[in-house]
Amino acid sequence: MSATNQSIGIRYNTLKRYQLIMQLYKTHKTEDIPDTVILRKYICPVYPISRTTFHTIMCTPVNKEIAELETLKSQQLRMAI
């Protein structure tokens, strides 16, 4: 399956947003604060997401997927030349 530039861009932007959410999570996470409290108090006011989406984000290997997308994009650029 060949990915289009648009689908690569959409996925890339999604992963960048995931990175921002994970960064916000890591900023406020301590041992005594549950994840649901961090989601409700700090993440939802900025990024209104559900708990299911939050769990999906936390389980996504963001850096790995961004690297794969950048590799795919560079391969497509080489093929276009």
Side-chain angles (χ1 to χ4, degrees):
M1 181 176 99
S2 176
T4 64
N5 283 338
Q6 184 177 9
S7 66
I8 291 172
I10 290 170
R11 184 63 183 159
Y12 183 78
N13 287 338
T14 300
L15 291 170
K16 293 303 265 183
R17 186 170 51 253
Y18 283 9
Q19 271 186 330
L20 293 171
I21 291 170
M22 291 172 100
Q23 185 179 35
L24 190 57
Y25 170 79
K26 289 175 184 175
T27 302
H28 297 286
K29 180 61 179 165
T30 60
E31 286 184 25
D32 58 335
I33 302 176
D35 292 348
T36 53
V37 173
I38 294 173
L39 176 64
R40 185 181 71 242
K41 287 180 72 176
Y42 303 109
I43 296 174
C44 280
V46 180
Y47 303 100
I49 58 173
S50 67
R51 286 189 321 164
T52 305
T53 302
F54 177 69
H55 180 69
T56 301
I57 291 169
M58 298 311 291
C59 294
T60 302
V62 174
N63 294 330
K64 178 184 171 194
E65 287 192 26
I66 287 176
E68 290 172 2
L69 284 177
E70 289 173 350
T71 302
L72 183 61
K73 192 171 184 178
S74 68
Q75 288 174 351
Q76 284 186 346
L77 287 175
R78 276 187 257 133
M79 290 174 58
I81 295 176

